[in-house]
Amino acid sequence: MKRKTDLTSVGHVTEETEFFTPMPAGYEPGKTKYVVVFGTVMSGLGKGIFSSSLAKVLQDKGLTVAPIKLEGYFNRDSGTLNPFRHGEVYVLDDGMECDMDLGTYERMLDQNLSHLNFTTSGQIFSSVLDKEREGKYLGRDVQMIPHVTGEVKLRLRELAVATQANVVFVEIGGTVGDVENAYYIEAVREMSFEEGPSNFAFVALTYIVVPQVLGEQKSKPAQLNLKLLNAAGIHPHIIACRASAPVSKKVREKIALFANVPMDHVFSMHDCDSVYVIPEMLRGAGIDAVVMNQLNLTERTDVASEEAARATWSAYITRFREAKHPITVGIIGKYTSVRDSYASIIQALEHAGASLDAKVRLDWIDSSDLTDENVVERLEHLHGVIVPGGFGLRGVDGKIACVKHVRENRVPYLGLCYGMQIAVIEYARNVCGLTDATSTEIEPDTPYPVIDLLPEQKKIEGLGGNMRLGGFDVQLSPDTMIAEVCGGADRIRLRFRHRYEVNPDYIETFESKGLVFSGRSPDYPIMQVMELPKKAHPFFMATQAHPEFTSRPLHPQPMFVGLVRAALQFSGVSIDDRGEQDPIATEPTCSAGPAPASM
Ligand code: GLN
C-alpha cells in the first residue's frame, strides 16, 4: 500500500555534514524511548511474541507503546508471500498486508495498528529511490549509510510522532548476521547514539540448543551469535534465552560471561502453553525491571494500573487453562501442514473457547483428501467446522463436499472469506439446482458464475496490494443470527482481503431458496455475511471478511463465540451447565477498535 505521508522531514540535512538525520516535524529527540529486539542463532524463535509480551508488560505499567516490525525482504508488503513459506498474511484496518507478528501485537496490546507499524526493505529502498529522483539528497551519492539508514531512523521517529508513544518497540526481522537485515541493525546503532543514553534498550533473543545425542543444553551457538551482534556495534542490555525447558543457571552464566552481560540480565524464556502467559513470565523473571531501569522509566510505573491489568489478564489465562468442556473444531484447508498459515484463527478459537469454558481442540484436515464418499467418516467426530480463506483451485471439491455435509447434518459451520464463497457455491449447486455453479476464480467459463470478480478488480493488473483490503463497515439485518451474536448491533467493522464476491445477479435466486444475506456493505452491493435461518440449521454462518483478525483475548470475536457456543451444544453440553461466568467475562468486540495512528 502507498504510504499516506510524504515523509516531510526537517533539519540536519545539509551538504556540509556527513550526518544525514532527517527528523519528522514535531520530533523531540530523547522524548521517546526505544526497545529493540534482535534474533540470534536462528529465526522462528518468537521474537514477535517476546517483543509484544514485553511491550504489554510496559503498557500495563501505564506507558503507551507502539511496535514496529522491520522486515528484510524486498516485497513492499506481505501480500505476495506464500503462507506455506511465511505464515499467514495479516491485514490491518488501513489495508496494510503484513507479517503475522502484527497480529500478535494487536492481540497482546489490544491496539489497532497501521502501515506505520510495519516496514520492509522494499518500502525503505523504494522510498530512497523516489527521493533520489526528487533531488532530495542535494547532489550527494546516495549510500547505505547515511541515506538508507537515515530512512530507517526516519520511520522509527515518524512512528514516535504519530503515536506519541512513550516507548517504541522495534522488532528487527530475521537473524543477526543476515546480510539483508544488517542495515537495520546499523540504523538502530546510529540512532541509539543520536538519542543519547537511557533512551535505548537492546534485547537479544537467543536459542539454546539441546543436541539429541547429548540431551543437555549447549550455549555455544548462542555465544557465537551474540558476538556477531557485538561486531555490529551493539552491546545488548538483556539476553533472553529461548529453549524448550527452563535454561539452566550454568548455561546462563556462560552466556553472561561471554557476552559481558550481568547474570541478572540473562533470562530463560522457555516454551509454555499459551503465548498470553509470557508477559507474566517476563515479569516473574524481572525483565520489566531491567528495561524500566535501562530506560530510566522506573518512576513512571502506575502501580494501580499494573495491578488491574495483571488481574484481568490472569483471569483470562485461568479461564483458558481451566476450561472444562472439550470440543473439536475441524479446519478444512489447503495450508493445513503449516499451522502458521492459520495463526489468527487458532487465536480466535482460543479466545472464544476461554470465554465459554470450552477447551477447543483443533483437527487439521487437508481438503484435497476429502470427497463426497469419505466426508462422513472424516468429519463425523467434529463439533464444529471452519473453512478458512484460500485461493485457487486445489482442494475446492473437498471443501464443497465438507460444506454439503455440515449443512445437511446441522454441524456448526463458520466460513471465512473463501469459506463463504464455497458455501455459496455449494448452495447454488445442491439447493438452487445450478449444476456446476462455481467461482470465476476456479472456472472462468462457468455457466453459473455465482462468485465473480468485484467490479473494481476487473480493471486491475498485477498481483500486489490490489485486493479489496482492510477494514470496512458491515450493515447487519435485524433479527438475524449475526445481529444476535453481535449483541443486537446493526453495524460492525470487519477486515477484508478478497478479489471475488457473491455475484449480485444471483442474490434473488439464493434468497428465494432460503439463504439469508445478513451482512452487507452499506455502500456497495457486496454481500459480507450469509447464514441459514435457525430453523434450518443451528449455526451456519459465513463471511466474506476475516473476523479472525479482530479477535482479542479480552474481546473474543462474536462469530467465533457463536461457533464455539453452537459446537458446545452440538457436543451435548447445555450452555447452562457451564457454571458461573467469570466476573471479567470477556466482552465480544463488534468493531476493529479505534482508528490507528496515521500520518
Ligand atoms: N480467493 C478468494 C478471493 O480472492 C478468497 C480470498 C480469501 O479467502 N482471502 O476473493
Side-chain angles (χ1 to χ4, degrees):
M1 76 181 294
K2 261 249 154 308
R3 279 174 78 79
K4 290 186 193 104
T5 158
D6 66 355
L7 304 182
T8 309
S9 54
V10 292
H12 306 291
V13 187
T14 71
E15 286 170 69
E16 286 83 41
T17 154
E18 287 309 305
F19 295 108
F20 175 80
T21 311
M23 294 280 175
Y27 187 77
E28 291 174 46
K31 184 177 162 208
T32 311
K33 310 283 185 177
Y34 295 84
V35 175
V36 186
V37 178
F38 308 91
T40 65
V41 181
M42 64 185 201
S43 61
L45 295 182
K47 255 188 309 227
I49 294 170
F50 174 85
S51 176
S52 59
S53 300
L54 193 53
K56 167 149 181 62
V57 171
L58 265 60
Q59 184 191 50
D60 289 350
K61 292 178 191 292
L63 297 165
T64 52
V65 295
I68 181 166
K69 171 117 196 226
L70 308 177
E71 289 281 14
Y73 52 72
F74 281 86
N75 309 57
R76 303 230 188 153
D77 54 43
S78 308
T80 49
L81 297 178
N82 180 343
F84 267 130
R85 295 178 64 96
H86 206 83
E88 117 190 316
V89 178
Y90 191 80
V91 181
L92 301 177
D93 191 75
D94 67 357
M96 181 84 220
E97 294 173 282
C98 57
D99 183 80
M100 57 188 277
D101 278 343
L102 277 275
T104 310
Y105 286 110
E106 287 204 329
R107 288 185 283 266
M108 199 68 91
L109 301 173
D110 203 358
Q111 187 171 308
N112 269 1
L113 303 178
S114 78
H115 64 287
L116 294 174
N117 303 93
F118 181 66
T119 283
T120 67
S121 291
Q123 290 180 33
I124 298 285
F125 282 81
S126 62
S127 186
V128 169
L129 294 175
D130 286 348
K131 286 181 180 176
E132 184 272 332
R133 292 290 83 182
E134 290 159 14
K136 296 238 171 98
Y137 295 112
L138 309 175
R140 293 271 297 264
D141 43 340
V142 180
Q143 295 182 302
M144 287 297 278
I145 305 169
H147 303 105
V148 177
T149 51
E151 187 68 27
V152 176
K153 294 184 280 182
L154 180 60
R155 296 281 166 124
L156 303 186
R157 289 176 170 130
E158 280 182 335
L159 179 64
V161 172
T163 59
Q164 290 295 307
N166 301 126
V167 188
V168 166
F169 276 77
V170 184
E171 178 193 344
I172 300 188
T175 309
V176 175
D178 294 344
V179 171
E180 60 186 13
N181 299 309
Y183 76 99
Y184 283 137
I185 299 176
E186 169 61 17
V188 294
R189 184 196 66 76
E190 291 170 18
M191 193 167 151
S192 69
F193 181 69
E194 292 163 8
E195 295 285 320
S198 298
N199 291 324
F200 264 71
F202 290 130
V203 185
L205 204 56
T206 194
Y207 185 63
I208 306 303
V209 293
V210 181
Q212 221 177 1
V213 275
L214 300 178
E216 103 181 77
Q217 293 182 331
K218 302 296 277 179
S219 62
K220 189 68 79 188
Q223 291 171 30
L224 294 175
N225 277 270
L226 288 163
K227 287 225 185 311
L228 283 178
L229 193 56
N230 292 157
I234 305 268
H235 188 90
H237 301 102
I238 292 170
I239 299 174
C241 305
R242 286 284 295 117
S244 42
V247 177
S248 70
K249 182 156 171 279
K250 182 176 142 203
V251 165
R252 284 185 290 120
E253 276 173 354
K254 277 199 178 165
I255 288 179
L257 179 67
F258 281 91
N260 263 16
V261 172
M263 183 59 183
D264 58 358
H265 291 205
V266 180
F267 300 94
S268 168
M269 198 191 138
H270 40 276
D271 292 350
C272 48
D273 57 348
S274 164
V275 296
Y276 304 119
V277 175
I278 296 173
E280 202 53 36
M281 191 196 255
L282 301 184
R283 236 182 239 115
I287 299 191
D288 57 336
V290 179
V291 174
M292 294 290 278
N293 204 21
Q294 166 61 27
L295 297 177
N296 222 350
L297 285 172
T298 311
E299 308 272 280
R300 298 281 304 271
T301 301
D302 176 339
V303 178
S305 138
E306 185 169 34
E307 277 171 11
R310 281 177 78 177
T312 312
W313 202 249
S314 78
Y316 171 81
I317 290 163
T318 307
R319 289 179 74 85
F320 159 72
R321 284 199 169 138
E322 294 179 2
K324 278 191 285 302
H325 300 289
I327 52 167
T328 306
V329 173
I331 301 187
I332 319 294
K334 180 164 93 163
Y335 309 123
T336 48
S337 53
V338 185
R339 304 289 141 90
D340 275 359
S341 328
Y342 299 113
S344 293
I345 297 176
I346 298 172
Q347 293 295 319
L349 284 168
E350 180 186 312
H351 308 157
S355 79
L356 290 171
D357 207 10
K359 195 142 213 89
V360 185
R361 206 183 78 80
L362 302 180
D363 200 358
W364 302 91
I365 297 170
D366 189 338
S367 52
S368 322
D369 301 338
L370 286 181
T371 61
D372 281 330
E373 287 67 45
N374 67 14
V375 72
V376 174
E377 174 214 333
R378 300 293 301 277
L379 306 187
E380 68 185 348
H381 61 293
L382 302 177
H383 306 115
V385 164
I386 288 178
V387 172
F391 293 84
L393 276 181
R394 193 162 78 79
V396 163
D397 289 341
K399 290 181 191 171
I400 295 173
C402 160
V403 174
K404 178 168 188 285
H405 168 79
V406 298
R407 183 178 55 76
E408 291 178 347
N409 294 286
R410 300 170 66 85
V411 182
Y413 175 70
L414 182 60
L416 307 173
C417 203
Y418 215 22
M420 164 157 158
Q421 298 175 0
I422 299 287
V424 166
I425 293 168
E426 192 279 324
Y427 211 77
R429 290 185 184 184
N430 299 325
V431 180
C432 304
L434 305 175
T435 316
D436 294 334
T438 192
S439 161
T440 50
E441 177 178 4
I442 298 164
E443 173 52 64
D445 299 323
T446 170
Y448 302 114
V450 289
I451 304 290
D452 197 8
L453 273 184
L454 292 161
E456 67 261 34
Q457 297 297 332
K458 292 195 172 156
K459 304 171 226 140
I460 294 174
E461 285 172 20
L463 279 182
N466 58 22
M467 286 189 253
R468 178 168 178 261
L469 287 168
F472 294 96
D473 285 348
V474 181
Q475 190 70 43
L476 305 184
S477 314
D479 304 320
T480 54
M481 198 154 3
I482 181 69
E484 187 186 316
V485 296
C486 291
D490 59 359
R491 201 176 263 223
I492 58 172
R493 190 166 176 86
L494 293 170
R495 294 192 194 163
F496 292 78
R497 180 173 188 255
H498 65 123
R499 275 194 189 89
Y500 296 81
E501 58 161 335
V502 180
N503 185 339
D505 297 346
Y506 290 89
I507 304 289
E508 259 182 54
T509 310
F510 284 121
E511 287 179 335
S512 71
K513 294 286 184 185
L515 199 61
V516 178
F517 291 104
S518 49
R520 297 168 190 236
S521 158
D523 309 311
Y524 304 97
I526 299 180
M527 302 302 116
Q528 306 196 123
V529 184
M530 60 162 261
E531 59 189 70
L532 287 177
K534 256 197 186 140
K535 59 181 178 340
H537 197 290
F539 190 88
F540 188 95
M541 184 183 287
T543 171
Q544 191 56 77
H546 289 277
E548 65 273 26
F549 293 151
T550 42
S551 184
R552 310 267 164 92
L554 304 182
H555 304 285
Q557 208 285 332
M559 295 184 189
F560 284 87
V561 176
L563 176 77
V564 170
R565 179 176 283 119
L568 276 169
Q569 277 164 337
F570 192 80
S571 77
V573 176
S574 131
I575 292 298
D576 296 338
D577 291 349
R578 293 175 311 104
E580 277 294 291
Q581 286 280 324
D582 194 286
I584 62 118
T586 52
E587 192 190 308
T589 180
C590 289
S591 82
S598 61
M599 285 186 90

